[in-house]
Amino acid sequence: MPEPLVCVKRNAVITGWDFSTGGVKCLAFDVEGRVLAEVRLPTDIWFGDSPSSGIRELNLMQLEGQAYASVRAMAAALDSAGRLKDWAAGGISATHHTAGRIDAQAVQIRRAICWNDATLAEYHAQGLARLGGQDRVQELIGGPWAIRYGLSHLVKDERHLSPELWRRTYRILPHGALAAGYLTGNFDVCSVSVAASTGIMDLRSKKWRREMLQALENEEYRRLVGKQLPRIIDQYQPVGMLRESVAVQAGLASKKRPWIFPTSDDQQAGLVGGGAVDAGQVAVILGNSAVVNSSSKDRPQRGRLDVMRLNWGPYLWMRCYNNGAQFLDQVVGSNPDWAELERQARQVPPGCNGTGVMPFVLPEPSLDVAQQQTGLRWFPQEPREPGVRYRAALEALAYLIALAVAEHEEAGQKITRISVSGGIARSDLMCEILAIVLGRPLLRLESEEGPALGAAVTALAALESHLRKEKGIAKRFTVADAVAAMVRFRGTVADNADWVEPYRAGLRRFREALARLQAGQPLS
Protein backbone atom coordinates (compact mmCIF):
# COMPACT_ATOMS: atom_id res chain seq x y z
CA MET A 1 0.00 0.00 0.00
CA PRO A 2 1.28 3.52 -0.78
CA GLU A 3 2.42 5.58 2.18
CA PRO A 4 -0.08 8.41 2.90
CA LEU A 5 0.76 12.08 3.39
CA VAL A 6 1.42 12.90 7.04
CA CYS A 7 2.98 16.37 6.98
CA VAL A 8 1.73 18.04 3.79
CA LYS A 9 -1.75 19.47 4.27
CA ARG A 10 -4.57 18.06 2.16
CA ASN A 11 -5.34 21.53 0.80
CA ALA A 12 -1.76 22.11 -0.38
CA VAL A 13 -1.17 23.36 -3.92
CA ILE A 14 1.86 22.01 -5.76
CA THR A 15 3.04 23.62 -9.01
CA GLY A 16 4.92 21.94 -11.81
CA TRP A 17 6.88 24.01 -14.30
CA ASP A 18 7.74 22.64 -17.73
CA PHE A 19 10.48 24.77 -19.31
CA SER A 20 10.90 23.44 -22.84
CA THR A 21 12.38 24.89 -26.00
CA GLY A 22 8.84 25.12 -27.38
CA GLY A 23 7.33 27.13 -24.51
CA VAL A 24 6.84 27.33 -20.76
CA LYS A 25 3.94 25.83 -18.84
CA CYS A 26 3.20 26.13 -15.15
CA LEU A 27 0.36 24.00 -13.80
CA ALA A 28 -1.02 24.03 -10.27
CA PHE A 29 -2.24 20.70 -8.88
CA ASP A 30 -3.92 19.62 -5.69
CA VAL A 31 -2.38 16.65 -3.88
CA GLU A 32 -4.64 14.25 -5.80
CA GLY A 33 -3.34 15.43 -9.16
CA ARG A 34 -6.28 17.60 -10.25
CA VAL A 35 -5.35 20.72 -12.24
CA LEU A 36 -6.37 23.92 -10.46
CA ALA A 37 -4.78 26.54 -12.73
CA GLU A 38 -2.34 26.82 -15.61
CA VAL A 39 -0.08 29.38 -17.24
CA ARG A 40 1.44 29.14 -20.73
CA LEU A 41 4.16 31.39 -22.10
CA PRO A 42 5.97 31.41 -25.46
CA THR A 43 9.65 30.77 -26.06
CA ASP A 44 11.67 32.34 -28.86
CA ILE A 45 14.72 30.41 -30.04
CA TRP A 46 17.68 32.07 -31.77
CA PHE A 47 18.62 30.40 -35.07
CA GLY A 48 21.78 32.33 -35.92
CA ASP A 49 21.75 33.77 -39.42
CA SER A 50 18.84 31.52 -40.49
CA PRO A 51 16.91 28.43 -39.39
CA SER A 52 19.06 26.38 -41.76
CA SER A 53 22.21 27.26 -39.78
CA GLY A 54 21.54 24.41 -37.36
CA ILE A 55 22.03 26.79 -34.41
CA ARG A 56 19.42 26.57 -31.66
CA GLU A 57 20.02 28.84 -28.65
CA LEU A 58 17.90 30.28 -25.84
CA ASN A 59 18.44 33.77 -24.40
CA LEU A 60 18.82 33.46 -20.61
CA MET A 61 17.29 36.89 -20.06
CA GLN A 62 14.15 35.49 -21.69
CA LEU A 63 14.31 32.52 -19.32
CA GLU A 64 14.61 34.86 -16.33
CA GLY A 65 11.57 36.78 -17.56
CA GLN A 66 9.61 33.56 -18.09
CA ALA A 67 10.37 32.44 -14.53
CA TYR A 68 9.20 35.71 -12.99
CA ALA A 69 6.18 36.15 -15.29
CA SER A 70 4.99 32.60 -14.64
CA VAL A 71 5.00 33.23 -10.88
CA ARG A 72 3.00 36.45 -11.24
CA ALA A 73 0.48 34.83 -13.58
CA MET A 74 0.12 31.70 -11.44
CA ALA A 75 -0.26 33.73 -8.26
CA ALA A 76 -3.04 35.76 -9.89
CA ALA A 77 -4.81 32.59 -11.06
CA LEU A 78 -4.59 30.97 -7.62
CA ASP A 79 -5.69 34.18 -5.93
CA SER A 80 -8.79 34.29 -8.16
CA ALA A 81 -9.57 30.72 -7.10
CA GLY A 82 -9.01 31.52 -3.43
CA ARG A 83 -6.03 29.13 -3.26
CA LEU A 84 -2.97 31.41 -3.21
CA LYS A 85 -2.38 30.86 0.52
CA ASP A 86 -2.19 27.09 -0.13
CA TRP A 87 0.75 27.25 -2.57
CA ALA A 88 3.26 25.04 -0.75
CA ALA A 89 5.91 23.90 -3.23
CA GLY A 90 7.01 23.76 -6.83
CA GLY A 91 9.00 21.41 -9.01
CA ILE A 92 10.66 22.09 -12.34
CA SER A 93 10.99 20.03 -15.49
CA ALA A 94 13.33 21.37 -18.15
CA THR A 95 15.43 20.34 -21.11
CA HIS A 96 18.61 19.82 -19.11
CA HIS A 97 20.54 19.08 -22.28
CA THR A 98 20.07 22.81 -22.94
CA ALA A 99 22.67 24.78 -20.95
CA GLY A 100 24.10 28.30 -20.61
CA ARG A 101 26.61 30.43 -18.73
CA ILE A 102 26.09 33.24 -16.20
CA ASP A 103 28.37 35.61 -14.31
CA ALA A 104 28.39 36.31 -10.56
CA GLN A 105 25.36 38.62 -10.93
CA ALA A 106 23.42 35.87 -12.76
CA VAL A 107 23.74 37.84 -16.00
CA GLN A 108 24.07 35.90 -19.26
CA ILE A 109 27.60 35.19 -20.47
CA ARG A 110 26.39 32.96 -23.30
CA ARG A 111 22.94 31.92 -24.44
CA ALA A 112 21.92 28.37 -23.59
CA ILE A 113 22.80 25.99 -26.41
CA CYS A 114 19.73 23.84 -27.02
CA TRP A 115 19.49 20.06 -27.03
CA ASN A 116 18.64 20.03 -30.76
CA ASP A 117 21.46 22.33 -31.90
CA ALA A 118 22.72 20.62 -35.05
CA THR A 119 26.18 22.23 -34.85
CA LEU A 120 27.22 20.13 -31.84
CA ALA A 121 28.04 16.91 -33.71
CA GLU A 122 31.41 18.19 -34.89
CA TYR A 123 32.51 19.23 -31.40
CA HIS A 124 31.23 16.05 -29.79
CA ALA A 125 33.35 14.05 -32.25
CA GLN A 126 36.43 16.12 -31.41
CA GLY A 127 35.98 15.71 -27.66
CA LEU A 128 35.25 12.02 -27.97
CA ALA A 129 38.47 11.50 -29.92
CA ARG A 130 40.47 13.29 -27.22
CA LEU A 131 38.96 11.02 -24.57
CA GLY A 132 39.59 7.84 -26.54
CA GLY A 133 36.06 6.98 -27.66
CA GLN A 134 32.82 5.82 -26.09
CA ASP A 135 34.41 2.78 -24.45
CA ARG A 136 36.58 5.11 -22.39
CA VAL A 137 33.55 7.27 -21.61
CA GLN A 138 31.70 4.19 -20.36
CA GLU A 139 34.63 3.43 -18.04
CA LEU A 140 34.63 6.97 -16.65
CA ILE A 141 30.92 7.72 -16.16
CA GLY A 142 29.13 4.39 -16.58
CA GLY A 143 27.11 5.50 -19.60
CA PRO A 144 27.39 7.21 -22.97
CA TRP A 145 28.19 10.83 -23.77
CA ALA A 146 25.60 11.83 -26.37
CA ILE A 147 25.94 14.73 -28.79
CA ARG A 148 23.36 16.93 -27.03
CA TYR A 149 24.94 16.65 -23.56
CA GLY A 150 26.43 19.75 -21.94
CA LEU A 151 30.05 18.64 -22.39
CA SER A 152 29.60 19.09 -26.15
CA HIS A 153 28.72 22.74 -25.50
CA LEU A 154 32.02 23.22 -23.68
CA VAL A 155 34.00 21.79 -26.58
CA LYS A 156 32.21 24.27 -28.86
CA ASP A 157 32.96 27.08 -26.38
CA GLU A 158 36.64 26.26 -26.59
CA ARG A 159 36.60 27.40 -30.22
CA HIS A 160 34.05 30.23 -30.07
CA LEU A 161 34.10 31.78 -26.57
CA SER A 162 36.80 34.30 -25.69
CA PRO A 163 39.21 33.61 -22.80
CA GLU A 164 37.79 36.67 -21.02
CA LEU A 165 34.28 35.18 -21.07
CA TRP A 166 35.56 31.80 -19.92
CA ARG A 167 37.14 33.55 -16.92
CA ARG A 168 34.12 35.77 -16.21
CA THR A 169 31.76 32.77 -16.05
CA TYR A 170 30.54 32.06 -12.52
CA ARG A 171 28.30 29.07 -13.25
CA ILE A 172 27.69 26.70 -16.15
CA LEU A 173 24.11 25.56 -15.62
CA PRO A 174 21.49 23.60 -17.55
CA HIS A 175 18.01 24.92 -18.26
CA GLY A 176 16.26 23.67 -15.11
CA ALA A 177 18.99 24.70 -12.67
CA LEU A 178 18.98 28.17 -14.21
CA ALA A 179 15.19 28.42 -13.85
CA ALA A 180 15.44 27.26 -10.22
CA GLY A 181 18.17 29.84 -9.65
CA TYR A 182 16.07 32.68 -11.00
CA LEU A 183 13.15 31.56 -8.82
CA THR A 184 15.16 31.15 -5.60
CA GLY A 185 18.38 33.14 -6.04
CA ASN A 186 20.44 29.96 -5.52
CA PHE A 187 22.60 29.17 -8.56
CA ASP A 188 25.13 27.06 -6.64
CA VAL A 189 23.37 23.68 -6.65
CA CYS A 190 21.90 21.22 -9.12
CA SER A 191 20.06 17.92 -9.04
CA VAL A 192 21.42 14.50 -9.95
CA SER A 193 19.20 14.70 -13.03
CA VAL A 194 20.88 17.95 -14.09
CA ALA A 195 24.37 16.60 -13.55
CA ALA A 196 23.60 13.37 -15.42
CA SER A 197 22.61 15.48 -18.44
CA THR A 198 26.06 16.99 -18.79
CA GLY A 199 28.10 13.89 -19.59
CA ILE A 200 30.47 14.87 -16.77
CA MET A 201 28.83 13.09 -13.79
CA ASP A 202 29.67 9.49 -12.94
CA LEU A 203 26.26 7.82 -13.06
CA ARG A 204 27.33 5.24 -10.46
CA SER A 205 28.76 7.53 -7.76
CA LYS A 206 26.64 10.61 -8.63
CA LYS A 207 29.78 12.75 -8.43
CA TRP A 208 31.54 14.91 -11.01
CA ARG A 209 34.13 12.97 -12.99
CA ARG A 210 36.79 15.57 -13.80
CA GLU A 211 38.60 13.20 -16.16
CA MET A 212 35.77 13.82 -18.66
CA LEU A 213 37.10 17.36 -19.02
CA GLN A 214 39.99 15.89 -21.00
CA ALA A 215 37.56 16.38 -23.89
CA LEU A 216 38.81 19.99 -23.72
CA GLU A 217 42.25 20.75 -25.12
CA ASN A 218 42.96 23.83 -22.97
CA GLU A 219 44.19 23.08 -19.44
CA GLU A 220 43.07 26.47 -18.09
CA TYR A 221 39.55 25.86 -19.39
CA ARG A 222 39.46 22.44 -17.75
CA ARG A 223 40.45 24.04 -14.44
CA LEU A 224 37.84 26.79 -14.80
CA VAL A 225 35.03 24.32 -15.54
CA GLY A 226 35.95 22.44 -12.38
CA LYS A 227 35.20 25.61 -10.39
CA GLN A 228 32.13 26.64 -12.40
CA LEU A 229 30.13 23.43 -12.02
CA PRO A 230 27.46 23.56 -9.26
CA ARG A 231 27.25 21.27 -6.24
CA ILE A 232 25.07 18.17 -6.71
CA ILE A 233 22.37 17.90 -4.04
CA ASP A 234 19.89 15.28 -2.89
CA GLN A 235 16.35 15.07 -4.30
CA TYR A 236 14.82 15.94 -0.92
CA GLN A 237 16.99 18.99 -0.16
CA PRO A 238 15.28 22.24 -1.23
CA VAL A 239 17.01 24.55 -3.67
CA GLY A 240 15.35 27.30 -1.62
CA MET A 241 12.14 29.18 -1.07
CA LEU A 242 10.75 31.38 -3.82
CA ARG A 243 12.92 34.48 -3.55
CA GLU A 244 11.32 37.30 -1.59
CA SER A 245 11.52 39.91 -4.35
CA VAL A 246 9.64 37.60 -6.75
CA ALA A 247 7.07 36.77 -4.06
CA VAL A 248 6.44 40.46 -3.35
CA GLN A 249 5.80 41.13 -7.05
CA ALA A 250 3.32 38.25 -7.10
CA GLY A 251 1.48 39.32 -3.94
CA LEU A 252 2.67 36.36 -1.87
CA ALA A 253 3.20 36.79 1.86
CA SER A 254 6.88 36.68 2.81
CA LYS A 255 6.39 33.83 5.30
CA LYS A 256 4.21 31.77 2.95
CA ARG A 257 6.57 31.44 0.03
CA PRO A 258 6.58 28.00 -1.67
CA TRP A 259 9.63 25.77 -1.56
CA ILE A 260 11.40 24.98 -4.85
CA PHE A 261 12.96 21.51 -5.02
CA PRO A 262 15.73 20.02 -7.21
CA THR A 263 14.80 19.92 -10.85
CA SER A 264 14.00 17.11 -13.25
CA ASP A 265 15.25 16.63 -16.75
CA ASP A 266 12.15 16.54 -18.94
CA GLN A 267 12.82 12.83 -19.50
CA GLN A 268 12.76 12.13 -15.76
CA ALA A 269 9.66 14.29 -15.35
CA GLY A 270 7.93 12.55 -18.24
CA LEU A 271 8.74 9.18 -16.71
CA VAL A 272 7.22 10.18 -13.38
CA GLY A 273 4.29 11.97 -14.98
CA GLY A 274 3.63 8.72 -16.83
CA GLY A 275 3.57 6.87 -13.51
CA ALA A 276 6.58 4.77 -14.48
CA VAL A 277 8.85 4.70 -11.42
CA ASP A 278 9.13 0.94 -10.85
CA ALA A 279 11.39 -1.38 -12.81
CA GLY A 280 9.75 -2.62 -15.99
CA GLN A 281 7.42 0.35 -16.34
CA VAL A 282 7.80 2.34 -19.55
CA ALA A 283 6.59 5.86 -20.33
CA VAL A 284 6.11 6.99 -23.93
CA ILE A 285 5.99 10.78 -24.27
CA LEU A 286 4.80 12.10 -27.63
CA GLY A 287 5.75 15.78 -27.54
CA ASN A 288 8.11 17.93 -29.63
CA SER A 289 10.43 14.96 -29.35
CA ALA A 290 9.26 11.35 -29.22
CA VAL A 291 10.59 9.59 -26.16
CA VAL A 292 10.61 6.10 -24.68
CA ASN A 293 11.84 5.98 -21.08
CA SER A 294 12.01 3.27 -18.46
CA SER A 295 13.22 2.95 -14.89
CA SER A 296 15.67 0.29 -13.74
CA LYS A 297 17.85 -0.61 -10.78
CA ASP A 298 20.73 -1.32 -13.14
CA ARG A 299 22.30 0.08 -16.30
CA PRO A 300 21.45 -1.50 -19.67
CA GLN A 301 23.22 -4.80 -20.28
CA ARG A 302 23.86 -4.04 -23.96
CA GLY A 303 22.98 -1.71 -26.81
CA ARG A 304 23.11 2.05 -27.39
CA LEU A 305 20.37 3.46 -25.17
CA ASP A 306 21.07 6.72 -23.39
CA VAL A 307 21.39 6.23 -19.64
CA MET A 308 20.78 8.81 -16.94
CA ARG A 309 20.35 8.75 -13.19
CA LEU A 310 17.08 9.65 -11.52
CA ASN A 311 17.18 12.10 -8.61
CA TRP A 312 15.98 9.47 -6.12
CA GLY A 313 18.31 6.63 -7.14
CA PRO A 314 17.39 4.35 -10.06
CA TYR A 315 18.69 4.59 -13.59
CA LEU A 316 16.66 6.01 -16.44
CA TRP A 317 16.97 4.20 -19.76
CA MET A 318 16.12 6.51 -22.60
CA ARG A 319 15.66 6.68 -26.30
CA CYS A 320 14.86 10.27 -27.23
CA TYR A 321 14.09 10.99 -30.87
CA ASN A 322 14.45 14.57 -32.10
CA ASN A 323 11.45 14.06 -34.36
CA GLY A 324 8.01 14.14 -32.75
CA ALA A 325 5.48 16.94 -33.08
CA GLN A 326 7.98 18.89 -35.16
CA PHE A 327 7.74 16.16 -37.80
CA LEU A 328 3.94 15.91 -37.56
CA ASP A 329 3.57 19.68 -37.95
CA GLN A 330 5.54 19.52 -41.20
CA VAL A 331 3.09 16.93 -42.53
CA VAL A 332 -0.23 18.57 -41.57
CA GLY A 333 0.75 22.25 -41.73
CA SER A 334 -0.02 25.03 -39.29
CA ASN A 335 -3.32 25.22 -37.40
CA PRO A 336 -5.02 22.17 -38.95
CA ASP A 337 -8.53 21.02 -38.06
CA TRP A 338 -7.45 18.08 -35.90
CA ALA A 339 -10.93 16.64 -35.52
CA GLU A 340 -11.44 16.62 -39.27
CA LEU A 341 -8.02 15.04 -39.83
CA GLU A 342 -8.91 12.29 -37.35
CA ARG A 343 -12.22 11.69 -39.14
CA GLN A 344 -10.59 11.50 -42.58
CA ALA A 345 -7.73 9.31 -41.35
CA ARG A 346 -10.17 6.76 -39.94
CA GLN A 347 -11.50 6.29 -43.47
CA VAL A 348 -8.01 5.21 -44.59
CA PRO A 349 -7.14 1.52 -44.10
CA PRO A 350 -4.33 0.61 -41.68
CA GLY A 351 -1.03 0.69 -43.52
CA CYS A 352 -2.35 3.39 -45.89
CA ASN A 353 -2.27 0.93 -48.81
CA GLY A 354 1.52 0.82 -48.61
CA THR A 355 2.13 4.57 -48.38
CA GLY A 356 4.76 5.53 -45.83
CA VAL A 357 6.98 8.42 -44.76
CA MET A 358 10.31 8.71 -43.00
CA PRO A 359 9.69 10.85 -39.86
CA PHE A 360 12.95 12.79 -39.97
CA VAL A 361 12.72 16.54 -40.48
CA LEU A 362 15.61 16.81 -38.02
CA PRO A 363 18.75 14.64 -37.82
CA GLU A 364 18.36 11.47 -35.75
CA PRO A 365 21.84 10.47 -34.48
CA SER A 366 20.59 7.37 -32.63
CA LEU A 367 19.44 5.95 -35.98
CA ASP A 368 22.41 7.28 -37.99
CA VAL A 369 20.17 9.68 -39.91
CA ALA A 370 22.31 12.73 -40.77
CA GLN A 371 21.28 16.25 -41.81
CA GLN A 372 21.57 15.42 -45.52
CA GLN A 373 19.08 12.56 -45.09
CA THR A 374 16.35 14.67 -43.46
CA GLY A 375 13.14 15.98 -44.99
CA LEU A 376 9.71 14.53 -45.69
CA ARG A 377 10.56 11.43 -47.70
CA TRP A 378 7.48 9.55 -48.86
CA PHE A 379 7.37 6.10 -50.40
CA PRO A 380 6.40 4.88 -52.90
CA GLN A 381 5.09 8.40 -53.60
CA GLU A 382 3.74 11.41 -51.72
CA PRO A 383 -0.04 11.38 -51.20
CA ARG A 384 -2.21 14.47 -51.54
CA GLU A 385 -5.18 13.41 -49.38
CA PRO A 386 -4.92 14.97 -45.88
CA GLY A 387 -6.30 11.84 -44.20
CA VAL A 388 -3.69 9.61 -45.83
CA ARG A 389 -0.87 12.02 -44.97
CA TYR A 390 -2.00 12.28 -41.36
CA ARG A 391 -2.49 8.56 -40.81
CA ALA A 392 0.82 7.69 -42.48
CA ALA A 393 2.58 10.20 -40.20
CA LEU A 394 1.00 8.70 -37.08
CA GLU A 395 2.01 5.23 -38.25
CA ALA A 396 5.60 6.39 -38.82
CA LEU A 397 5.78 7.73 -35.25
CA ALA A 398 4.34 4.45 -33.93
CA TYR A 399 6.99 2.47 -35.82
CA LEU A 400 9.69 4.77 -34.43
CA ILE A 401 8.43 4.12 -30.89
CA ALA A 402 8.35 0.37 -31.59
CA LEU A 403 12.06 0.44 -32.48
CA ALA A 404 12.80 2.13 -29.15
CA VAL A 405 10.68 -0.29 -27.11
CA ALA A 406 12.54 -3.16 -28.80
CA GLU A 407 15.84 -1.51 -27.82
CA HIS A 408 14.74 -1.44 -24.18
CA GLU A 409 13.89 -5.13 -24.29
CA GLU A 410 17.14 -6.05 -26.06
CA ALA A 411 19.04 -4.11 -23.37
CA GLY A 412 17.51 -6.30 -20.66
CA GLN A 413 14.32 -4.49 -19.65
CA LYS A 414 11.41 -6.77 -18.76
CA ILE A 415 8.47 -4.54 -19.63
CA THR A 416 5.41 -4.86 -17.42
CA ARG A 417 3.46 -1.74 -18.38
CA ILE A 418 3.51 1.09 -20.94
CA SER A 419 1.87 4.47 -20.46
CA VAL A 420 1.49 7.19 -23.09
CA SER A 421 1.22 10.96 -22.73
CA GLY A 422 2.11 14.17 -24.53
CA GLY A 423 0.38 16.41 -27.03
CA ILE A 424 0.21 13.85 -29.84
CA ALA A 425 -1.34 11.36 -27.41
CA ARG A 426 -4.48 13.51 -27.45
CA SER A 427 -5.21 11.70 -30.71
CA ASP A 428 -7.32 8.59 -30.05
CA LEU A 429 -6.19 7.24 -33.41
CA MET A 430 -2.51 7.68 -32.53
CA CYS A 431 -2.96 5.71 -29.31
CA GLU A 432 -4.91 2.95 -31.06
CA ILE A 433 -2.25 2.60 -33.76
CA LEU A 434 0.54 2.57 -31.18
CA ALA A 435 -1.16 -0.12 -29.08
CA ILE A 436 -1.41 -2.41 -32.13
CA VAL A 437 2.12 -1.74 -33.37
CA LEU A 438 3.54 -2.46 -29.90
CA GLY A 439 1.24 -5.43 -29.37
CA ARG A 440 0.45 -4.27 -25.84
CA PRO A 441 -2.35 -2.38 -24.08
CA LEU A 442 -1.45 1.24 -23.31
CA LEU A 443 -2.40 3.23 -20.23
CA ARG A 444 -3.46 6.77 -21.11
CA LEU A 445 -2.95 9.55 -18.59
CA GLU A 446 -5.71 11.93 -17.61
CA SER A 447 -3.18 14.75 -17.92
CA GLU A 448 -1.49 15.31 -21.26
CA GLU A 449 1.09 17.47 -19.49
CA GLY A 450 3.37 14.65 -18.36
CA PRO A 451 6.52 16.71 -17.60
CA ALA A 452 4.65 19.39 -15.60
CA LEU A 453 2.79 16.72 -13.65
CA GLY A 454 6.02 14.78 -13.09
CA ALA A 455 7.72 17.91 -11.76
CA ALA A 456 4.85 18.44 -9.32
CA VAL A 457 4.90 14.79 -8.22
CA THR A 458 8.62 14.93 -7.38
CA ALA A 459 8.05 18.22 -5.53
CA LEU A 460 5.29 16.64 -3.42
CA ALA A 461 7.57 13.71 -2.56
CA ALA A 462 10.39 16.09 -1.67
CA LEU A 463 8.17 18.40 0.40
CA GLU A 464 6.66 15.55 2.45
CA SER A 465 10.13 14.04 2.99
CA HIS A 466 11.64 17.43 3.93
CA LEU A 467 8.89 18.07 6.48
CA ARG A 468 9.19 14.54 7.91
CA LYS A 469 12.91 15.06 8.39
CA GLU A 470 12.29 18.36 10.19
CA LYS A 471 9.80 16.62 12.52
CA GLY A 472 11.98 13.56 13.12
CA ILE A 473 9.61 11.12 11.36
CA ALA A 474 11.72 8.19 10.18
CA LYS A 475 9.23 6.50 7.84
CA ARG A 476 10.04 7.29 4.21
CA PHE A 477 7.72 8.87 1.66
CA THR A 478 8.92 8.02 -1.85
CA VAL A 479 8.35 9.30 -5.36
CA ALA A 480 6.31 6.13 -5.97
CA ASP A 481 4.06 7.14 -3.06
CA ALA A 482 3.59 10.58 -4.62
CA VAL A 483 2.82 8.96 -7.99
CA ALA A 484 0.10 6.88 -6.35
CA ALA A 485 -1.41 10.07 -4.95
CA MET A 486 -1.24 12.33 -8.02
CA VAL A 487 -0.97 10.38 -11.28
CA ARG A 488 -4.35 9.40 -12.72
CA PHE A 489 -5.10 7.19 -15.71
CA ARG A 490 -8.20 7.55 -17.84
CA GLY A 491 -8.22 4.03 -19.19
CA THR A 492 -6.49 1.47 -21.34
CA VAL A 493 -6.19 1.46 -25.12
CA ALA A 494 -7.04 -2.07 -26.23
CA ASP A 495 -6.09 -4.07 -29.31
CA ASN A 496 -7.96 -4.03 -32.61
CA ALA A 497 -7.46 -7.51 -34.08
CA ASP A 498 -8.23 -6.37 -37.64
CA TRP A 499 -5.21 -4.07 -37.61
CA VAL A 500 -2.61 -6.54 -36.37
CA GLU A 501 -1.45 -7.99 -39.70
CA PRO A 502 -1.43 -4.67 -41.62
CA TYR A 503 0.75 -3.10 -38.94
CA ARG A 504 3.04 -6.08 -38.67
CA ALA A 505 3.68 -5.69 -42.41
CA GLY A 506 3.91 -1.90 -42.03
CA LEU A 507 6.62 -2.14 -39.36
CA ARG A 508 8.57 -4.50 -41.61
CA ARG A 509 8.31 -2.02 -44.54
CA PHE A 510 9.38 0.81 -42.24
CA ARG A 511 12.48 -1.08 -41.11
CA GLU A 512 13.40 -1.83 -44.71
CA ALA A 513 12.91 1.80 -45.78
CA LEU A 514 14.98 3.02 -42.83
CA ALA A 515 17.82 0.68 -43.79
CA ARG A 516 17.74 2.06 -47.33
CA LEU A 517 17.75 5.65 -46.04
CA GLN A 518 20.72 4.91 -43.77
CA ALA A 519 22.56 3.40 -46.74
CA GLY A 520 21.79 6.39 -48.95
CA GLN A 521 19.57 4.37 -51.29
CA PRO A 522 16.14 5.26 -52.77
CA LEU A 523 13.30 4.36 -50.42
CA SER A 524 11.40 2.37 -53.02
Side-chain angles (χ1 to χ4, degrees), residues 148-203:
R148 64 185 179 278
Y149 287 17
L151 183 55
S152 302
H153 308 174
L154 302 184
V155 180
K156 182 176 182 178
D157 284 345
E158 191 166 33
R159 184 183 301 180
H160 294 284
L161 202 66
S162 71
E164 189 274 329
L165 292 179
W166 273 85
R167 294 170 191 138
R168 211 181 93 205
T169 297
Y170 172 69
R171 283 282 176 257
I172 299 166
L173 289 171
H175 202 170
L178 284 163
Y182 291 126
L183 290 172
T184 64
N186 183 3
F187 294 92
D188 295 333
V189 299
C190 73
S191 67
V192 170
S193 175
V194 164
S197 303
T198 64
I200 306 172
M201 188 192 83
D202 188 327
L203 298 173

Side-chain angles (χ1 to χ4, degrees), residues 252-328:
L252 281 159
S254 177
K255 294 182 180 179
K256 294 288 291 183
R257 289 175 284 152
W259 289 101
I260 306 298
F261 285 96
T263 64
S264 298
D265 178 83
D266 52 357
Q267 311 304 336
Q268 172 180 285
L271 186 75
V272 178
V277 293
D278 292 329
Q281 296 178 342
V282 173
V284 175
I285 304 101
L286 298 173
N288 282 334
S289 52
V291 184
V292 178
N293 289 334
S294 66
S295 177
S296 177
K297 295 178 181 178
D298 301 304
R299 291 175 292 147
Q301 298 170 19
R302 61 192 73 85
R304 297 171 55 190
L305 286 174
D306 282 357
V307 190
M308 300 175 67
R309 196 73 188 264
L310 298 171
N311 281 350
W312 53 93
Y315 291 94
L316 182 150
W317 298 9
M318 174 174 63
R319 174 55 67 227
C320 178
Y321 295 119
N322 293 337
N323 295 274
Q326 297 172 94
F327 152 69
L328 188 60

Side-chain angles (χ1 to χ4, degrees), residues 37-58:
E38 61 180 76
V39 172
R40 295 174 185 268
L41 303 172
T43 294
D44 296 321
I45 299 298
W46 188 68
F47 297 106
D49 295 333
S50 73
S52 62
S53 69
I55 292 172
R56 301 289 185 274
E57 294 181 3
L58 173 67

Side-chain angles (χ1 to χ4, degrees), residues 505-524:
L507 179 57
R508 185 169 58 250
R509 285 196 304 272
F510 182 85
R511 288 180 180 273
E512 292 168 353
L514 176 59
R516 288 194 292 270
L517 180 69
Q518 292 166 328
Q521 298 171 356
L523 297 187
S524 58

Side-chain angles (χ1 to χ4, degrees), residues 2-25:
E3 173 70 11
L5 293 170
V6 172
C7 298
V8 175
K9 295 178 180 178
R10 300 301 302 180
N11 64 345
V13 173
I14 311 293
T15 48
W17 277 271
D18 177 12
F19 287 90
S20 80
T21 47
V24 175
K25 305 165 192 170

